[in-house]
Amino acid sequence: MGAVPSTPRWSSAVRPQDTAEYLIGAFVGEKSFPLASDYWKKLLELPLNLHWPAPRVLQACEVLAQNNYYTRHLAKILIHLAWCLQECLSSSGVPPSSYLKAINATYISSVFLKYYIENAKTDNFEELCLSLDKNEAVPSNFSRDQNIQNLVMHGVLSFIGKVDVSQHASLLHHELLNFMLVAMSTQLLSGPSPGPKDIHPFIDAAMVQESSLVGLVVRKLLANYITQPRFALNAASYDIFSEGNQPGVLQRVGSAAASFVLLPFSYFVNSSGKASRSPLAYSSLHVLLILIHYRKCVLATVKDRSDDSATSDLLLKENTYFSENPFCKALENARDIEFDRVDIEGNAHSGPIVRVPFASLFDTLGMYLADETAVLLLYSLVHGNSDFLEYVLVRTDLDTLLMPMLETLYNASKRTSNQIYMVLIILLILSQDSSFNASIHKLILPSVPWYQERLLHQTSLGSLMVIILIRTVKYNLSKLRLMPMLETLYNASKRTSNQIYMVLIILLILSQDSSFNASIHKLILPSVPWYQERLLHQTSLGSLMVIILIRTVKYNLSKLRDVYLHTNCLAILANMAPHVHRLSAYASQRLISLFDMLSRKYTKLAELKNDKMLIGNGESRGDNLPEDMSTELHIYTDFLRIVLEILNVILTYALPRNPEVVYATMHRQEVFLPFKNHPRFNELLENIFNVLDFFNSRMDAQSMDGEWSVEKVLQVIIINCRSWRGEGMKDVYLHTNCLAILANMAPHVHRLSAYASQRLISLFDMLSRKYTKLAELKNDKMHIGNGESRGDNLPEDMSTELHIYTDFLRIVLEILNGILTYALPRNPEVVYATMHRQEVFLPFKNHPRFNELLENIFNVLDFFNSRMDAQSMDGEWSVEKVLQVIIINCRSWRGEGMKMFPQLHFTYEQESHPEEFFIPYVWQLVISRRIFSFNPSSINLFPAGLPAEDSYGGEEVDDNNQSGEMNGHAVQIALSEVQ
């Protein structure tokens, strides 16, 4: 940075820019300015509006890091920050200059503190030097033994908690919240499991503040989130920002070393349509979530008398425990400002009580539940605060909270796994209350605009909840372990043939379900890190599956040459074909490339057979070779036919939604020509050439200036796809949570809709089919070819999965039992759906694991079937007539012969170490908002090799476990069945 004068020199000839340049240089330089030096006043009062390039800002941080051990300037600026905040708190008429000094102190502290934390070389952050030299002269109002981090955190929290957010104070509020994020970011350098050796100077200082101050801070942070304050910046009040539109020196510092610091400023200046979300409100929420989920691990040494010692000596024993979090306790003890429980029950709570307007908080959460941080706050409230949970349960407009959460589940493929888990846990907690389960069936929704599968008109909130939960189960079944299985196929050369077979068989089973085939094309993957051949960006899971299966076929042709492996891969592709949706360009190219490769091998085999393998002087080499060639030729003929059938199905049933397949077919149409008149392929090629003729003619009809580009050709295809008429031509915890919520709801179901009833029986049907196939696979012990067993451990794996599906089926049967036993007269549509699909229960009637649960169902079926038989009917039965008979006989139903099972009731229990999930999760959310940047290589709290997911503002995001997201097992849900 060059030489810095030993003392600031002031004169009328010195421009403000030069003075600012000098003062910042002096701050990072070698000369130490005493705490009481006039230098600090000049630094904090001067309008800072110079422009430094990013490298120079970084150099300034590095120079301070070299000199701070001697100058202690970081500690001194923090002390001055605390003093500035005390000045702002001292009186009601605070001059603008006091706020300006505090803002400058906050900026400088944030920028350089963040650099220190991000580049920390010690676990205890000794390089921060948060103390003054013993020879340092200090003012009389400052004690040398004063804990600086405690001093500054007390000042910051006092200002946040005690000063209202106003026009003059709003910017300082925001920058103090950003300072809090920087100061608490030491957590990012620790591992996910807090240990007794972890040191976090600033957040630990926050945890030891008096309870009254903690309560004020929690109240203010919640109030900021509720009120969503927005203030326009008065540039005249803050000269630091008033030099035209150019960023000042600290703004340049912010952009290079702490880019989040000035983002709130840009929000204030550039108000746009996105300003419906208050930056101050979301900074408040982020800080609150970090504070309430922090856990301090403490090492305690206790005296323990040895039982097997004859002496009276005491042994020292070390134990660890987590100290109490006062912010978490304050949130848990928060009370409604409009209702005082002490007046009713007389049970006063020790310490100050945080008063919050529950009604406003409820409404605000309902508005912003599309945002993941809002979901986490709601979880923290309903799980920890019994008063707020009780308040939610007595609200009559439960749709305010439930509708955005159900929409989140509906769009599960665009949400993170953590967000889905949080929503399901919230619903599970709510469904533990019988009044909740009763009230949701009384609330009728005129329509559900975001539900696309069919029109839901005048549907109860309870019915919608059943539909969405069942849909979530089916979605998760399609997504379960799919990426690891595809990665196994991708690395086939490093896997055993048994592993490959097992994966392919599982995929073949899954691909037999149409909902699986549809859902995999709706799930978009931001990236596929393990795929090395090319960058796969924003690729659907279905497209990736096509790519990997084709790659497996090609690998098998060159290495394994196993006919069964080919057959399985192509069978899976054939099952997927009718449901292909927006297949990617690369997947489409690989599909045509597969046909090309197989066709070339077929052609060579045909030529070899025709020549009868005559080599040299007319001598035949291998008498049985032509017969071998015939066999292999026959195999390749079948392979080619399957690939052509796959293409036929896509082009026949899914052409309008797959322009890339059309493009790839047109681009390589010459590969089909040699087979146009082949007796084994011509019938399958008719449709393909029909498609080619249609789109070729549309291309010929286009008047084109210049050459055709890929983009132009694809545009013509997309346009004509719309006019194409075809003339001539689918995590165990998630399952358990969903089913647990349904089980809690079952006895209270009231007038379940026809569609919801159908989906419930459909869920049993889907699970039963999967169960049956798994049972068959287990019984056959996977004998593949010549009686050879492939995969010694496969039966054991099948047994595990079979056990899981057995439990799922039992829960669904218990849900049905709960409805038919306790709520049958109110649910004729459930009776109708059960009668309409009664055949799905028959295979399990005598099954030892299900027969007791099916007794009641068949009892109901016998009762209503007999009433139907007793009816004299002219003409055929219609849906309306059958339903009318059911409704009439529901009134006379008395439940004779019904076996009374204990009601299923599931409760949520947080696991023993929730901090291992919530601390990384909260910080991941903070970083994903991009108001806080941090060097990924410095983060140890969670995997940060790839950009974190961005769901800020409730935007749809893609679920990608590679992007720093916590693994599902980190938030294990303890579900206890209460009988």
Side-chain angles (χ1 to χ4, degrees):
M1 292 184 61
V4 177
S6 58
T7 57
R9 292 177 295 190
W10 293 80
S11 72
S12 58
V14 177
R15 296 182 301 167
Q17 289 88 343
D18 297 331
T19 307
E21 173 95 19
Y22 168 77
L23 290 174
I24 294 295
F27 175 76
V28 303
E30 297 178 356
K31 179 177 174 59
S32 174
F33 292 94
L35 192 59
S37 171
D38 193 48
Y39 161 78
W40 298 103
K41 181 175 183 293
K42 295 173 183 177
L43 174 65
L44 299 180
E45 288 183 346
L46 189 71
L48 299 172
N49 47 32
L50 286 179
H51 317 303
W52 281 7
R56 192 172 182 189
V57 175
L58 180 60
Q59 186 183 18
C61 293
E62 293 171 346
V63 172
L64 179 65
Q66 296 172 3
N67 297 325
N68 186 55
Y69 179 80
Y70 305 101
T71 65
R72 305 295 170 112
H73 279 182
L74 182 60
K76 293 173 186 177
I77 193 70
L78 290 173
I79 295 171
H80 278 280
L81 170 58
W83 289 348
C84 289
L85 294 173
Q86 289 173 8
E87 183 180 343
C88 293
L89 285 164
S90 61
S91 61
S92 57
V94 181
S97 60
S98 296
Y99 286 121
L100 177 61
K101 288 166 57 180
I103 291 171
N104 287 353
T106 307
Y107 267 134
I108 298 172
S109 300
S110 296
V111 170
F112 292 100
L113 180 60
K114 178 179 180 291
Y115 174 84
Y116 267 104
I117 294 173
E118 204 169 26
N119 296 278
K121 295 179 174 60
T122 61
D123 294 334
N124 57 3
F125 301 98
E126 287 181 348
E127 56 266 48
L128 294 179
C129 299
L130 296 177
S131 62
L132 298 181
D133 188 89
K134 61 181 180 178
N135 298 321
E136 179 86 29
V138 296
S140 58
N141 63 339
F142 181 80
S143 172
R144 186 181 302 277
D145 297 328
Q146 174 76 55
N147 184 296
I148 295 177
Q149 54 266 38
N150 185 69
L151 174 68
V152 70
M153 290 306 287
H154 180 82
V156 171
L157 293 174
S158 295
F159 185 90
I160 291 173
K162 297 176 181 180
V163 178
D164 291 334
V165 179
S166 64
Q167 176 68 43
H168 292 291
S170 59
L171 183 59
L172 180 53
H173 266 285
H174 209 140
E175 297 314 321
L176 287 174
L177 291 170
N178 287 331
F179 172 83
M180 288 281 291
L181 291 176
V182 171
M184 296 187 296
S185 68
T186 53
Q187 286 186 281
L188 291 169
L189 276 61
S190 299
S193 300
K197 295 182 179 180
D198 292 344
I199 296 177
H200 306 293
F202 295 97
I203 194 168
D204 286 340
M207 294 296 141
V208 298
Q209 301 301 314
E210 58 270 22
S211 60
S212 58
L213 178 56
V214 169
L216 288 173
V217 172
V218 171
R219 182 192 64 81
K220 179 58 68 66
L221 294 175
L222 283 173
N224 289 345
Y225 182 66
I226 293 169
T227 59
Q228 302 276 315
R230 299 172 184 86
F231 293 96
L233 179 66
N234 183 353
S237 301
Y238 303 105
D239 292 337
I240 183 174
F241 305 118
S242 63
E243 190 71 16
N245 293 322
Q246 297 300 317
V249 59
L250 287 183
Q251 291 172 282
R252 296 297 302 162
V253 171
S255 64
S259 60
F260 74 97
V261 173
L262 287 168
L263 185 57
F265 171 68
S266 65
Y267 274 141
F268 281 106
V269 175
N270 303 316
S271 57
S272 64
K274 295 183 179 179
S276 59
R277 295 177 177 273
S278 162
L280 182 61
Y282 274 82
S283 292
S284 297
L285 180 55
H286 294 147
V287 170
L288 178 62
L289 290 173
I290 293 171
L291 287 170
I292 65 174
H293 288 292
Y294 177 67
R295 293 296 180 270
K296 175 67 174 176
C297 186
V298 180
L299 182 64
T301 302
V302 297
K303 293 181 178 180
D304 182 32
R305 189 181 299 276
S306 176
D307 294 336
D308 54 1
S309 176
T311 68
S312 60
D313 292 340
L314 295 177
L315 300 178
L316 295 180
K317 184 179 180 181
E318 292 183 342
N319 288 326
T320 59
Y321 67 94
F322 289 104
S323 59
E324 187 177 74
N325 183 326
F327 292 90
C328 180
K329 186 176 181 181
L331 185 70
E332 292 175 351
N333 291 335
R335 299 290 176 260
D336 190 358
I337 199 171
E338 298 177 1
F339 178 76
D340 194 345
R341 174 167 286 194
V342 175
D343 296 338
I344 304 299
E345 300 181 354
N347 297 322
H349 293 267
S350 60
I353 295 177
V354 177
R355 296 288 181 185
V356 180
F358 280 2
S360 301
L361 180 56
F362 180 95
D363 293 337
T364 303
L365 285 167
M367 291 173 61
Y368 297 109
L369 273 179
D371 183 83
E372 204 165 347
T373 50
V375 175
L376 185 52
L377 176 60
L378 179 58
Y379 164 81
S380 303
L381 286 164
V382 298
H383 176 256
N385 190 309
S386 58
D387 275 33
F388 186 78
L389 174 59
E390 183 178 327
Y391 177 83
V392 170
L393 293 172
V394 300
R395 287 279 296 233
T396 58
D397 56 341
L398 282 167
D399 55 313
T400 301
L401 291 185
L402 289 188
M403 287 299 283
M405 288 194 288
L406 293 178
E407 186 175 3
T408 294
L409 293 182
Y410 180 79
N411 293 310
S413 63
K414 303 172 184 176
R415 302 288 183 241
T416 68
S417 296
N418 291 333
Q419 189 174 4
I420 300 301
Y421 272 111
M422 290 294 101
V423 168
L424 287 173
I425 293 169
I426 292 168
L427 294 177
L428 179 58
I429 292 172
L430 295 175
S431 71
Q432 293 169 196
D433 183 81
S434 58
S435 64
F436 168 84
N437 295 317
S439 61
I440 58 176
H441 290 284
K442 299 175 183 176
L443 204 160
I444 305 300
L445 306 169
S447 62
V448 187
W450 43 261
Y451 193 89
Q452 301 297 317
E453 277 79 351
R454 60 176 289 167
L455 178 65
L456 295 181
H457 182 64
Q458 295 295 317
T459 301
S460 73
L461 183 58
S463 293
L464 178 64
M465 194 163 160
V466 170
I467 293 167
I468 297 301
L469 288 169
I470 292 172
R471 188 180 186 275
T472 307
V473 170
K474 291 187 174 183
Y475 161 74
N476 194 56
L477 280 171
S478 71
K479 182 174 175 288
L480 188 64
R481 298 192 298 273
L482 207 55
M483 286 295 284
M485 288 193 287
L486 294 179
E487 188 174 0
T488 295
L489 293 181
Y490 178 80
N491 293 309
S493 61
K494 304 173 184 176
R495 301 289 185 261
T496 66
S497 58
N498 294 332
Q499 285 178 293
I500 298 172
Y501 267 104
M502 184 171 70
V503 168
L504 288 173
I505 291 168
I506 293 171
L507 292 177
L508 182 59
I509 295 170
L510 292 173
S511 70
Q512 294 171 16
D513 184 79
S514 59
S515 62
F516 167 85
N517 293 318
S519 63
I520 57 175
H521 290 284
K522 298 176 182 177
L523 200 157
I524 306 300
L525 308 169
S527 63
V528 187
W530 43 263
Y531 194 89
Q532 301 298 318
E533 279 79 349
R534 61 176 290 164
L535 178 66
L536 295 182
H537 181 64
Q538 295 295 318
T539 299
S540 71
L541 182 57
S543 293
L544 177 63
M545 194 163 162
V546 170
I547 294 167
I548 297 301
L549 286 169
I550 292 172
R551 187 180 186 275
T552 305
V553 170
K554 292 187 174 183
Y555 168 75
N556 182 57
L557 281 172
S558 62
K559 300 290 182 182
L560 302 179
R561 301 180 65 80
D562 190 319
V563 174
Y564 292 105
L565 192 147
H566 277 82
T567 306
N568 281 339
C569 289
L570 296 175
I572 297 167
L573 288 169
N575 287 344
M576 294 169 61
H579 311 277
V580 167
H581 187 86
R582 294 182 182 176
L583 198 67
S584 71
Y586 184 53
S588 303
Q589 295 163 15
R590 303 318 294 156
L591 184 59
I592 304 302
S593 171
L594 175 62
F595 177 85
D596 183 32
M597 182 192 70
L598 292 173
S599 66
R600 284 186 282 108
K601 288 184 177 290
Y602 172 89
T603 302
K604 287 190 176 183
L605 285 169
E607 292 172 354
L608 286 171
K609 180 189 176 185
N610 292 336
D611 293 344
K612 296 183 179 180
M613 296 297 293
L614 294 176
I615 301 175
N617 298 327
E619 182 183 354
S620 177
R621 306 291 294 270
D623 295 335
N624 64 339
L625 202 51
E627 183 179 347
D628 294 339
M629 285 293 158
S630 296
T631 302
E632 195 165 1
L633 190 64
H634 178 73
I635 292 172
Y636 274 93
T637 302
D638 289 341
F639 288 164
L640 275 173
R641 283 188 58 87
I642 295 175
V643 174
L644 286 174
E645 288 179 357
I646 292 168
L647 268 171
N648 256 276
V649 170
I650 296 175
L651 296 175
T652 303
Y653 299 104
L655 184 147
R657 23 179 225 271
N658 290 282
E660 291 287 0
V661 177
V662 176
Y663 179 90
T665 307
M666 294 180 68
H667 183 64
R668 299 291 307 279
Q669 53 189 291
E670 74 279 357
V671 302
F672 301 105
L673 287 171
F675 302 91
K676 188 173 184 178
N677 299 315
H678 195 292
R680 292 283 284 144
F681 307 119
N682 58 357
E683 59 174 344
L684 292 170
L685 281 164
E686 285 182 15
N687 281 347
I688 295 176
F689 282 108
N690 188 25
V691 170
L692 287 171
D693 290 343
F694 176 88
F695 284 94
N696 283 331
S697 66
R698 297 308 186 274
M699 293 288 295
D700 294 339
Q702 294 287 321
S703 58
M704 184 63 195
D705 295 330
E707 295 184 354
W708 285 98
S709 66
V710 174
E711 292 76 15
K712 291 177 181 177
V713 174
L714 194 56
Q715 187 62 33
V716 174
I717 291 173
I718 292 172
I719 292 172
N720 285 282
C721 275
R722 299 168 189 162
S723 61
W724 167 260
R725 295 294 179 267
E727 291 87 350
M729 299 272 314
K730 135 204 209 285
D731 186 11
V732 176
Y733 288 123
L734 189 146
H735 292 78
T736 308
N737 281 342
C738 291
L739 296 176
I741 299 167
L742 289 169
N744 287 347
M745 294 169 60
H748 311 278
V749 168
H750 186 84
R751 294 182 181 176
L752 198 66
S753 71
Y755 184 53
S757 302
Q758 294 162 14
R759 303 317 295 158
L760 184 58
I761 305 302
S762 172
L763 175 62
F764 177 84
D765 182 33
M766 181 193 73
L767 292 172
S768 66
R769 285 187 282 109
K770 289 181 178 293
Y771 171 89
T772 301
K773 289 186 180 294
L774 285 169
E776 291 172 354
L777 286 170
K778 180 188 175 186
N779 292 335
D780 293 342
K781 296 183 179 180
M782 301 301 295
H783 286 289
I784 301 176
N786 298 324
E788 182 185 355
S789 177
R790 309 296 292 261
D792 296 333
N793 65 338
L794 203 52
E796 183 179 345
D797 296 335
M798 287 292 156
S799 295
T800 301
E801 195 164 1
L802 192 64
H803 178 74
I804 292 172
Y805 275 94
T806 302
D807 289 342
F808 288 163
L809 275 174
R810 283 188 60 87
I811 295 175
V812 174
L813 287 174
E814 295 198 43
I815 291 168
L816 269 172
N817 259 276
I819 297 174
L820 297 177
T821 304
Y822 299 101
L824 185 146
R826 317 190 287 269
N827 292 282
E829 292 286 1
V830 177
V831 176
Y832 179 90
T834 306
M835 294 180 68
H836 182 64
R837 299 291 307 280
Q838 54 188 289
E839 74 280 356
V840 302
F841 302 104
L842 286 172
F844 302 92
K845 189 172 184 178
N846 298 315
H847 196 292
R849 290 285 282 141
F850 308 118
N851 57 357
E852 59 174 349
L853 293 169
L854 282 164
E855 285 181 17
N856 283 348
I857 295 175
F858 282 107
N859 189 24
V860 170
L861 288 171
D862 291 343
F863 176 87
F864 285 93
N865 283 330
S866 65
R867 298 307 187 273
M868 294 289 295
D869 295 338
Q871 295 288 319
S872 56
M873 183 64 195
D874 296 330
E876 295 183 355
W877 285 98
S878 65
V879 174
E880 293 75 15
K881 292 177 180 178
V882 174
L883 194 57
Q884 186 62 33
V885 173
I886 291 173
I887 292 172
I888 293 172
N889 285 280
C890 276
R891 300 168 188 163
S892 61
W893 169 261
R894 296 293 180 267
E896 291 90 348
M898 295 291 281
K899 186 176 180 179
M900 303 300 289
F901 291 98
Q903 289 188 23
L904 266 186
H905 188 74
F906 291 85
T907 58
Y908 168 70
E909 298 175 4
Q910 199 173 67
E911 67 167 333
S912 57
H913 292 287
E915 69 283 344
E916 294 181 4
F917 170 77
F918 285 106
I919 293 177
Y921 182 32
V922 172
W923 275 107
Q924 184 197 356
L925 291 178
V926 170
I927 289 185
S928 71
R929 278 11 180 216
R930 295 174 186 166
I931 63 169
F932 179 79
S933 63
F934 206 89
N935 183 3
S937 64
S938 299
I939 297 177
N940 297 313
L941 187 61
F942 55 82
L946 293 173
E949 296 159 328
D950 183 7
S951 59
Y952 183 66
E955 295 179 0
E956 294 179 346
V957 296
D958 301 308
D959 182 43
N960 178 14
N961 235 16
Q962 302 295 326
S963 59
E965 184 177 320
M966 305 305 104
N967 291 326
H969 67 265
V971 59
Q972 293 181 356
I973 310 304
L975 291 165
S976 59
E977 183 177 335
V978 181
Q979 296 189 354

